[in-house]
Amino acid sequence: MISRLIRRLERYDVLSDEEKQVLTGAVARVKEVAADEDMVREGDRPTESIVLLDGFAARYKLLRNGKRQITPLHMSGDFVDLHSYIQKKMDHGVMAITPCRIGLVPHATLRKITDQHLHLGRLLWLHTLIDAATHREWLVAMGRRPAFNQIAHLLCELFLRLQTVGLTQEMSFELPLTQAELGDVLGLSTVHVNRIIQQLRAEELVAWRGATVTIEDWPRLQEVAEFDPTFLNLEREPR
């Protein structure tokens, strides 16, 4: 049920059979969440953390004028609010971008894991550190990269993250976001997003048909994005 979470953590370090069993048994219940439905709302005090089993989700903040900024995107294999175990009160919301299936892990279980399975606790800590590193990359991209380079960087990031959990086919992956949702990710207007997608196609960097993105020139896309995957911690080593 949480094979993609296990696959993601195994990218960082070797998991023992016992640790895999602990993770599998941590999910107390499974729930379906409709597209555009909140999993967690700003101001909530969750007693469970959510593992995304299937689908795409996003953390977000709403401004008084109704405008929305999506911070990170989440995919199958991600804890979307692991930090709520320590943070307690949520300062942002988490919503389903597509229909999602989620696993709920009680905070009491997370406490037991961190107390009794120290290596596994460190890997879950690393999970939150990579979330923070991803935030930094997005901040740099929005603040200093031109929109074309910013979108290229996002595509590189998503491709590698999806590849890690087995959700790519060769150089293709599904990105089921509307251009308006991409605008909320990138801080750009829908019109601007559409222009950049057309430019990516025209320069033969990607083919973008519906929700399917195919990277046609991976080295050049990374070059355009100035993409360094260090922040994703994809090298397996003792933690």
Side-chain angles (χ1 to χ4, degrees):
M1 184 169 58
I2 59 169
S3 59
R4 291 197 178 108
L5 172 62
I6 290 172
R7 181 168 176 163
R8 176 178 175 178
L9 295 181
E10 283 188 308
R11 187 65 184 259
Y12 310 144
D13 195 3
V14 176
L15 287 179
S16 69
D17 290 340
E18 180 185 3
E19 288 171 330
K20 293 176 187 177
Q21 290 172 3
V22 167
L23 286 170
T24 300
V27 175
R29 57 196 177 95
V30 175
K31 180 181 176 182
E32 305 289 333
V33 182
D36 300 321
E37 182 180 336
D38 280 332
M39 299 177 183
V40 186
R41 294 181 177 87
E42 185 173 350
D44 283 355
R45 298 181 67 90
T47 58
E48 301 166 305
S49 286
I50 296 168
V51 181
L52 188 56
L53 305 177
D54 290 299
F56 276 78
R59 296 188 216 172
Y60 71 95
K61 293 279 288 187
L62 280 178
L63 302 181
R64 291 181 181 177
N65 61 9
K67 290 185 178 181
R68 178 179 66 180
Q69 179 64 53
I70 289 175
T71 49
L73 289 169
H74 288 294
M75 58 198 62
S76 180
D78 287 356
F79 262 109
V80 303
D81 64 340
L82 185 58
H83 54 286
S84 70
Y85 162 49
I86 299 297
Q87 188 174 346
K88 305 304 183 186
K89 187 175 181 179
M90 294 290 286
D91 62 349
H92 60 278
V94 182
M95 63 173 289
I97 296 289
T98 65
C100 292
R101 190 166 62 97
I102 63 174
L104 296 155
V105 179
H107 287 169
T109 302
L110 289 172
R111 184 176 300 111
K112 184 177 179 180
I113 289 172
T114 56
D115 287 347
Q116 299 181 9
H117 302 274
L118 303 185
H119 176 248
L120 189 52
R122 290 195 298 273
L123 291 182
L124 293 178
W125 182 16
L126 178 60
H127 189 300
T128 63
L129 294 176
I130 292 170
D131 278 351
T134 303
H135 275 290
R136 288 192 291 274
E137 290 295 324
W138 282 35
L139 180 63
V140 170
M142 292 181 68
R144 294 299 180 186
R145 288 193 174 102
F148 183 73
N149 307 67
Q150 184 186 356
I151 295 182
H153 196 280
L154 177 66
L155 294 177
C156 290
E157 173 203 321
L158 294 178
F159 174 73
L160 288 182
R161 288 174 59 196
L162 287 163
Q163 187 182 58
T164 296
V165 293
L167 290 174
T168 58
Q169 294 185 344
E170 296 182 349
M171 298 303 294
S172 296
F173 62 95
E174 296 300 305
L175 183 57
L177 276 71
T178 66
Q179 291 186 9
E181 288 167 338
L182 278 171
D184 287 344
V185 167
L186 300 160
L188 302 172
S189 69
T190 304
V191 171
H192 201 170
V193 169
N194 182 266
R195 287 175 183 161
I196 298 301
I197 290 173
Q198 297 306 321
Q199 186 179 353
L200 287 165
R201 288 171 170 157
E203 296 196 16
E204 298 183 345
L205 289 169
V206 302
W208 201 318
R209 298 181 181 88
T212 303
V213 177
T214 301
I215 297 173
E216 298 192 310
D217 193 333
W218 176 242
R220 196 155 60 93
L221 186 68
Q222 290 182 92
E223 183 181 356
V224 165
E226 297 181 10
F227 185 77
D228 177 355
T230 300
F231 72 101
L232 294 174
N233 276 263
L234 296 177
E235 293 183 9
R236 181 186 281 189
E237 56 185 300
R239 306 287 181 174

